[in-house]
Amino acid sequence: MSFSGKAGLMIAVLAIALYLSAFTVNQAEQVIITQFGRPIGDPVTEPGLHFKLPFVQQVNSFDKRYLAWDGPMVEMSTKDKTYVQVDTFARWRITDPMRYYLRLRDERSAQSRLEDILGSETRTAIARHELIEVVRTDKERKPFIDETLGDLAGEGTLGVLRPIRVGRVAIEKHVFDAAAPKLEEFGIELLDVRFKRINYNQQVLERIYQRMISERLQIAQRFRSEGEGEAARIKGNKERDLNEIQSTAYKRVQEIQGEADAKATEIYAKAYAQKPDAAKFYKFVKTMETYRKVINSDASVVLSTDSELFGLLKRVEKGD
């Protein structure tokens, strides 16, 4: 082999060795160099071109960005022995890649450890507080009051929130404060913990539904009572107005009838007062009208011989 051929071969080998020893780190990565499974040197956290020994050294990269942990929905008991299903969510990142690699190796193991620690601390925090503390955001929350309730709001349990001591936000902070130091031992910084969803157990749902039904029935009964009271008031006003109208009308009828009777009497008096015979005839007619009203077919009359009616009957019998 000629000198130029040997030189070319050496250059090719050097190029391959240089290619196998060079690696790049981007801005979202941090790298641990291992040799036969053992870490060598400090973690590489700066982005750019870096080198390692080819074949014997391996590059282990880890994400430097914020990572998510989305825990499974887990059923747990509150302090008042009420079962709820809690779905927890957290953000974390790798701050000590060397410790992280030595303790966990990869993200799959980290997710498993996060689930163990955060799940355990969540169950502990939930068990220390009652259900109302878990579902309420914080103790400063003001309830929404339906305007249609009117003065019903605040009566009994309607529109009234039971006072609490901490609230869900404070419970989440308790979980964070308890879990963060434990995760630091694995080179992990816990950034945030939140309860993504809290579902009621079926038995709890039944109790909540019954309470909702009871409150709705209470509102309905109040509305019915107010409606019945208003109906009674309207009916009473109607009866009063009808009686007033009837009384006024009856008074007017009597006034008109009295005026008519007075006018008729005045006309009769003028008519029958013109001659003595007319006055006698008027007296006779009025007497007959009186007898017609008093005496009927079923009446029995006892008369004295000197009564006007007896004399009249005698004259009728004689044909006078």
Side-chain angles (χ1 to χ4, degrees), residues 183-196:
L183 291 172
E184 286 181 0
E185 299 177 3
F186 301 94
I188 293 175
E189 179 187 4
L190 185 63
L191 302 172
D192 194 15
V193 177
R194 288 287 183 268
F195 296 152
K196 184 169 66 173

Side-chain angles (χ1 to χ4, degrees), residues 195-211:
F195 296 152
K196 184 169 66 173
R197 182 184 303 167
I198 298 176
N199 290 341
Y200 294 119
N201 180 276
Q202 188 61 36
Q203 295 179 351
V204 178
L205 282 176
E206 291 297 331
R207 294 205 301 268
I208 292 174
Y209 292 154
Q210 291 300 322
R211 179 177 177 181

Side-chain angles (χ1 to χ4, degrees), residues 242-258:
L242 285 176
N243 292 334
E244 183 178 352
I245 293 171
Q246 291 173 352
S247 176
T248 303
Y250 179 76
K251 178 182 178 181
R252 183 58 182 159
V253 167
Q254 295 300 315
E255 290 176 352
I256 295 173
Q257 187 174 353

Side-chain angles (χ1 to χ4, degrees), residues 220-233:
Q221 182 60 39
R222 177 66 180 273
F223 285 152
R224 280 195 294 268
S225 299
E226 292 180 352
E228 291 172 357
E230 185 67 14
R233 186 186 66 81

Side-chain angles (χ1 to χ4, degrees), residues 149 152 158 214-224:
L149 294 179
L152 282 175
L158 299 178
S214 176
E215 291 183 351
R216 294 298 102 180
L217 290 176
Q218 182 180 350
I219 295 172
Q221 182 60 39
R222 177 66 180 273
F223 285 152
R224 280 195 294 268

Side-chain angles (χ1 to χ4, degrees), residues 127-296:
R128 290 176 178 173
H129 299 87
E130 296 182 356
L131 175 64
I132 188 66
E133 302 281 353
V134 178
V135 298
R136 287 272 297 279
T137 306
D138 60 74
K139 58 184 179 181
E140 303 299 330
R141 178 190 171 194
K142 302 297 181 183
F144 169 78
I145 300 178
D146 192 344
E147 295 180 355
T148 60
L149 294 179
D151 59 355
L152 282 175
E155 180 176 323
T157 58
L158 299 178
V160 178
L161 288 181
R162 175 181 166 187
I164 61 174
R165 295 180 296 105
V166 289
R168 188 173 68 246
V169 174
I171 296 175
E172 292 171 340
K173 188 175 186 307
H174 293 166
V175 175
F176 176 87
D177 293 340
K182 296 180 180 180
L183 291 172
E184 286 181 0
E185 299 177 3
F186 301 94
I188 293 175
E189 179 187 4
L190 185 63
L191 302 172
D192 194 15
V193 177
R194 288 287 183 268
F195 296 152
K196 184 169 66 173
R197 182 184 303 167
I198 298 176
N199 290 341
Y200 294 119
N201 180 276
Q202 188 61 36
Q203 295 179 351
V204 178
L205 282 176
E206 291 297 331
R207 294 205 301 268
I208 292 174
Y209 292 154
Q210 291 300 322
R211 179 177 177 181
M212 292 171 63
I213 292 172
S214 176
E215 291 183 351
R216 294 298 102 180
L217 290 176
Q218 182 180 350
I219 295 172
Q221 182 60 39
R222 177 66 180 273
F223 285 152
R224 280 195 294 268
S225 299
E226 292 180 352
E228 291 172 357
E230 185 67 14
R233 186 186 66 81
I234 293 173
K235 186 176 181 180
N237 291 339
K238 182 196 74 172
E239 295 294 336
R240 183 197 62 194
D241 294 342
L242 285 176
N243 292 334
E244 183 178 352
I245 293 171
Q246 291 173 352
S247 176
T248 303
Y250 179 76
K251 178 182 178 181
R252 183 58 182 159
V253 167
Q254 295 300 315
E255 290 176 352
I256 295 173
Q257 187 174 353
E259 292 174 357
D261 291 343
K263 188 67 174 177
T265 302
E266 181 182 356
I267 293 172
Y268 282 133
K270 287 181 180 181
Y272 292 118
Q274 293 179 1
K275 294 180 180 181
D277 294 339
K280 291 180 180 181
F281 179 73
Y282 174 74
K283 181 179 179 181
F284 174 75
V285 171
K286 287 299 181 181
T287 300
M288 291 298 101
E289 290 180 355
T290 302
Y291 289 158
R292 185 181 298 112
K293 294 179 180 179
V294 174
I295 302 173
N296 54 39

Side-chain angles (χ1 to χ4, degrees), residues 93-109:
R93 67 177 178 177
I94 303 170
T95 55
D96 189 340
M98 183 62 71
R99 184 179 298 180
Y100 177 86
Y101 176 79
L102 292 175
R103 299 293 300 274
L104 299 173
R105 295 286 179 174
D106 53 26
E107 185 175 337
R108 180 178 179 181
S109 299

